[in-house]
Amino acid sequence: MARLRHLNHGLAVILAFIGAKLILHWAHGVWPAVPEIPTPLSLGVIVVVLAAVTGTSLLAGRRARLRERPPAQRPDPLEETERR
């Protein structure tokens, strides 16, 4: 859990999305023309947000660990691209 640095931002986005979905659900009951967000789409949004937050958190942690290394131990970016 400590490695997921951006989890709080992702949860805020998910909660805002769920709030909007609840408001639209209420509005659909009052005004039938207001669209509803289907459950599969909601689950997809939640999964995508959690995957993006996990990916960005792990990348941020990796970059922070690379910056903490002494310069002699840091990989040379030019050598990395030449090997590919």
Side-chain angles (χ1 to χ4, degrees):
M1 289 299 291
R3 293 176 67 183
L4 297 177
R5 299 173 178 205
H6 304 142
L7 183 61
N8 55 348
H9 300 294
L11 291 178
V13 169
I14 290 170
L15 285 174
F17 174 76
I18 291 172
K21 180 178 167 67
L22 286 171
I23 290 171
L24 287 174
H25 180 73
W26 168 81
H28 181 74
V30 177
W31 302 288
V34 174
E36 279 192 292
I37 300 174
T39 301
L41 178 62
S42 297
L43 291 173
V45 167
I46 292 169
V47 168
V48 167
V49 168
L50 288 176
V53 165
T54 301
T56 59
S57 294
L58 294 177
L59 282 175
R62 182 172 181 234
R63 287 182 180 163
R65 284 191 305 277
L66 285 176
R67 270 188 253 122
E68 291 172 359
R69 287 185 185 177
Q73 292 181 351
R74 291 184 191 161
D76 185 8
L78 294 177
E79 288 179 13
E80 291 286 326
T81 55
E82 290 172 2
R83 278 190 250 162
R84 292 181 193 172

